[in-house]
Amino acid sequence: MDILEDILQKEAKKSEKYKTTDVEKNVELELDLGNLLALDTNDLNLQELKSHKEKYLLNLARDNTQLLLNKLWDLPSERREEIVVAKLPAGTLRLPREKPCPKPKPLTKWQEYALEKGIKKKKKTNAVWDDIVQKWIPRFGYKKAELERQKDWVLEVPGNADPMEDQFAKKAEKKKEKVSKNEFQRLRNIAKAKKIKVPKEGLPTIANPSSDLLNTAAKVARVSTASLGKFQPKLPKEKTLKENVIAPKRVKRDHSKISSNDEKSSHLKIIDSILGKKPKLDIEKAVNRQVFQDQNERSEEKKTQKSKGGKKRRKTSIPSKARKGGKISKPRVGKVNTKKGKAGVGGGRKRR
Amino acid sequence: MKILSDERTKSVFEKLAKFIGGNIKLLIDRPDGKYCFREHKDRVYYMSQAILDLALSCNKEQLICAGTCFGKFTKTNKFRLHITALNYLAPYAQYKIWLKPSAEQQFLYGHHVLKSGMGRITENTPKNQGVVIFSMNDMPLGFGTSAKATADCKHADPIAIVCFNQGDIGEYIRNEDTLI
């Protein structure tokens, strides 16, 4: 009965759509589950390869993948957000380098010296206790400058130094010099490491200099003699320089040359031009015109008011035009301001 | 001591013209001597010829001030009038505001002039005009810019600003260290 069942099962499987999960191989595959890699070292069937190349290779690939996946199912699985996930072990295959191995950096001048003398770097703590200020002063970084200033609230003048010398300025100068020296040496180390040749003194050479640079260089070369290029023979196409082109003298403005009268007259001219730009009269005219209008309007209103029979009208009911431009003065009955100009309105009197 | 360049002279005169108007000519063309403007460390000084000669004989780095400082040029080359120019602005001022005694103190502390503090104002003062501010005893207190024209002042409510404070003699105490 069991045998019958087995045979039936096998028949059923064969007729199934999918191929079997059991794959037989002569040589076991090397599986690297960490990298999801399967290495098949079995010999290829040359006959099949020649006859049905694509199909054979496809089947081969499917079989190998099947074996790999079978192994994957054996791995410990976990559930993450309703998805069953297999935990892959670390990969065994070592992938080759993408880039070539880095070459060891050439030692800097200091590093060579330290190696030679056997000097090892001492680990220093950041904060240093200072008794004067009774605080921990950081050796570098945040709040260093402030606390240093507190600590060095006074600097002693050493015995051999000039009493009028500014010790604080001297200290600041020294620090600047140190920083710039360090920077210079750092750049020198970089140049040495990259095998860039830097001249000991002067500027490094440029591969393709422009004509301006060449001209400047020629000028400088000409002037770099003991007598500052005075007796230097001229090249065939060289232009003679004006005096003091390299280091021009500071031009001192001679105040005595510009006489005070000239200055005065030029100032008066400037003032005239400024005052000429101001349109004074126009505003006055506009204001006077507005006031004229206001008074006319008000007299008309008063007429209508009288005819309607004494309706009280407050100041606020006066149209906005009058408010903005004109002045509220007691309208002189019968007299209308016809004068135009500065003295026209209000007679120039000061009023509250 | 440098002679002011043309653009700088122009900006100085324009600023002065806002307060004095045509009377600038009286500053330049004086009957009692030759007066001139000079520049030193971005500050403009007004001095007579005699003082100028003395100032020129000094070392530039050691010279602090000569004559009267009218104001200074800011970093963007704009001219700003200082309170030290008040002595020359006050007598030639075209538009004036007189303050009530109760409002003087507020003004001297640097606040603007409110309508309630304003006693008198010259007629026809346009808006945004440079004005010189006096106390009721005709003592110059400072200068500023009018916020409203004379007509508008009358309609304004008592707490409205009538003049912006641009300089007052209280600055002599408040800004002691920045005046020089």
Side-chain angles (χ1 to χ4, degrees):
Chain A
M1 286 295 147
D2 290 337
I3 305 164
L4 268 173
E5 282 179 38
D6 281 342
I7 295 166
L8 282 168
Q9 273 184 4
K10 276 189 183 173
E11 291 293 321
K13 274 189 183 175
K14 275 185 188 173
S15 63
E16 261 180 42
K17 199 178 175 185
Y18 296 111
K19 296 177 191 166
T20 57
T21 54
D22 299 321
V23 176
E24 281 182 17
K25 288 272 179 180
N26 291 336
V27 182
E28 286 290 324
L29 300 183
E30 279 177 40
L31 292 167
D32 181 5
L33 290 169
N35 286 320
L36 292 179
L37 179 72
L39 285 166
D40 185 3
T41 43
N42 287 308
D43 295 328
L44 291 168
N45 190 338
L46 291 169
Q47 275 182 340
E48 289 236 14
L49 196 65
K50 280 179 191 173
S51 52
H52 326 282
K53 189 172 180 185
E54 291 295 319
K55 204 177 173 185
Y56 172 63
L57 287 174
L58 191 67
N59 284 330
L60 199 60
R62 188 223 78 88
D63 289 338
N64 289 336
T65 322
Q66 184 66 61
L67 282 169
L68 177 65
L69 288 172
N70 289 343
K71 279 280 173 175
L72 280 179
W73 280 108
D74 292 333
L75 288 173
S77 65
E78 54 183 48
R79 215 188 172 84
R80 278 197 199 177
E81 295 169 19
E82 297 170 8
I83 303 168
V84 183
V85 166
K87 213 172 179 187
L88 295 174
T92 50
L93 180 73
R94 245 185 122 205
L95 291 167
R97 283 180 113 0
E98 183 198 342
K99 295 208 168 82
C101 281
K103 286 167 235 167
K105 280 190 210 173
L107 294 172
T108 63
K109 237 179 150 185
W110 165 254
Q111 279 171 336
E112 282 172 3
Y113 181 77
L115 209 66
E116 193 189 304
K117 296 277 180 178
I119 302 169
K120 293 267 161 72
K121 224 184 172 180
K122 274 188 238 170
K123 174 82 182 168
K124 294 182 200 157
T125 55
N126 185 5
V128 178
W129 178 252
D130 183 63
D131 274 325
I132 306 166
V133 201
Q134 296 280 309
K135 275 192 202 165
W136 287 97
I137 305 211
R139 208 192 290 270
F140 54 84
Y142 182 63
K143 293 267 183 190
K144 178 208 167 191
E146 190 187 311
L147 290 170
E148 279 268 308
R149 247 179 281 142
Q150 282 180 18
K151 185 179 107 186
D152 292 335
W153 65 277
V154 65
L155 281 176
E156 289 168 12
V157 176
N160 51 353
D162 174 25
M164 299 309 280
E165 201 181 5
D166 187 355
Q167 296 297 325
F168 291 100
K170 199 168 145 197
K171 190 169 172 230
E173 186 78 34
K174 265 193 191 165
K175 174 135 198 200
K176 264 196 201 171
E177 280 177 13
K178 257 203 224 173
V179 170
S180 51
K181 178 179 172 244
N182 190 14
E183 183 66 20
F184 172 73
Q185 287 183 325
R186 183 182 78 92
L187 292 170
R188 205 177 55 187
N189 278 329
I190 292 171
K192 188 178 161 213
K194 293 198 174 173
K195 305 252 182 353
I196 299 168
K197 292 211 170 173
V198 186
K200 197 173 162 190
E201 273 171 37
L203 296 165
T205 49
I206 303 170
N208 297 318
S210 62
S211 61
D212 302 316
L213 280 170
L214 286 169
N215 276 325
T216 322
K219 279 183 200 169
V220 173
R222 178 160 234 274
V223 187
S224 345
T225 56
S227 47
L228 299 178
K230 214 168 163 186
F231 305 109
Q232 201 73 1
K234 221 172 40 167
L235 290 172
K237 281 195 180 176
E238 195 182 2
K239 296 178 200 170
T240 45
L241 305 165
K242 275 188 267 178
E243 256 192 68
N244 297 323
V245 142
I246 303 293
K249 274 189 238 161
R250 260 231 173 141
V251 179
K252 259 196 175 179
R253 253 169 138 213
D254 212 355
H255 291 291
S256 60
K257 281 199 174 170
I258 305 170
S259 74
S260 50
N261 288 327
D262 290 338
E263 200 190 327
K264 209 199 255 184
S265 54
S266 70
H267 277 336
L268 287 171
K269 272 187 201 167
I270 293 172
I271 293 169
D272 284 329
S273 70
I274 291 168
L275 292 175
K277 285 183 194 171
K278 283 192 172 188
K280 265 197 166 180
L281 287 171
D282 293 341
I283 299 171
E284 301 280 344
K285 259 192 180 177
V287 166
N288 291 339
R289 217 175 283 158
Q290 194 64 49
V291 170
F292 183 79
Q293 270 181 24
D294 291 345
Q295 289 176 338
N296 281 347
E297 280 174 341
R298 231 173 289 125
S299 61
E300 279 171 23
E301 278 167 19
K302 277 218 165 179
K303 284 177 193 171
T304 54
Q305 203 181 21
K306 279 180 185 172
S307 64
K308 281 189 182 174
K311 251 194 189 173
K312 272 197 181 172
R313 284 206 169 196
R314 287 177 289 158
K315 257 190 182 178
T316 50
S317 61
I318 296 167
S320 56
K321 263 193 204 172
R323 250 205 242 155
K324 276 187 189 167
K327 295 182 295 167
I328 303 297
S329 52
K330 286 185 187 170
R332 296 177 193 168
V333 179
K335 277 189 189 175
V336 166
N337 211 341
T338 48
K339 275 190 195 171
K340 287 184 183 175
K342 246 187 181 176
V345 184
R349 265 185 285 139
K350 296 166 191 170
R351 264 192 233 143
R352 281 215 176 191
Chain B
M1 286 280 125
K2 282 190 270 183
I3 297 180
L4 288 165
S5 70
D6 281 329
E7 309 96 59
R8 286 201 162 183
T9 345
K10 205 169 181 193
S11 56
V12 172
F13 286 153
E14 272 175 11
K15 205 58 188 268
L16 286 173
K18 278 189 189 173
F19 290 91
I20 318 178
N23 292 331
I24 302 178
K25 291 190 186 174
L26 294 170
L27 274 181
I28 305 253
D29 216 352
R30 279 168 77 136
D32 59 339
K34 287 180 188 166
Y35 279 72
C36 58
F37 288 93
R38 285 289 183 274
E39 187 192 336
H40 179 62
K41 283 193 179 173
D42 280 335
R43 281 174 194 265
V44 174
Y45 297 98
Y46 177 70
M47 62 194 91
S48 63
Q49 193 67 36
I51 296 185
L52 173 66
D53 292 332
L54 288 172
L56 286 174
S57 67
C58 280
N59 185 0
K60 255 195 302 184
E61 279 104 61
Q62 293 171 333
L63 182 70
I64 297 176
C65 165
T68 324
C69 174
F70 261 44
K72 74 171 194 188
F73 284 100
T74 62
K75 291 261 162 75
T76 51
N77 285 335
K78 297 202 175 80
F79 182 66
R80 179 172 270 273
L81 260 182
H82 282 187
I83 189 62
T84 40
L86 188 64
N87 278 337
Y88 293 97
L89 293 179
Y92 301 119
Q94 290 189 322
Y95 298 103
K96 306 179 185 178
I97 288 181
W98 285 262
L99 290 185
K100 291 183 190 164
S102 52
E104 275 170 31
Q105 194 70 349
Q106 280 295 304
F107 181 71
L108 292 180
Y109 273 116
H111 299 300
H112 302 302
V113 180
L114 306 178
K115 198 222 165 167
S116 52
M118 182 180 78
R120 290 194 331 227
I121 183 168
T122 39
E123 286 293 338
N124 294 334
T125 317
K127 197 178 169 185
N128 300 328
Q129 173 67 37
V131 277
V132 180
I133 290 153
F134 293 83
S135 71
M136 278 320 208
N137 306 329
D138 276 330
M139 192 174 82
L141 296 174
F143 55 85
T145 311
S146 65
K148 294 187 196 299
T150 312
D152 296 336
C153 287
K154 290 171 187 162
H155 298 294
D157 41 296
I159 49 165
I161 294 176
V162 151
C163 176
F164 299 115
N165 178 338
Q166 283 177 345
D168 59 89
I169 51 181
E171 275 181 31
Y172 280 110
I173 299 170
R174 289 201 312 272
N175 302 342
E176 218 180 304
D177 40 356
T178 55
L179 276 178
I180 287 290

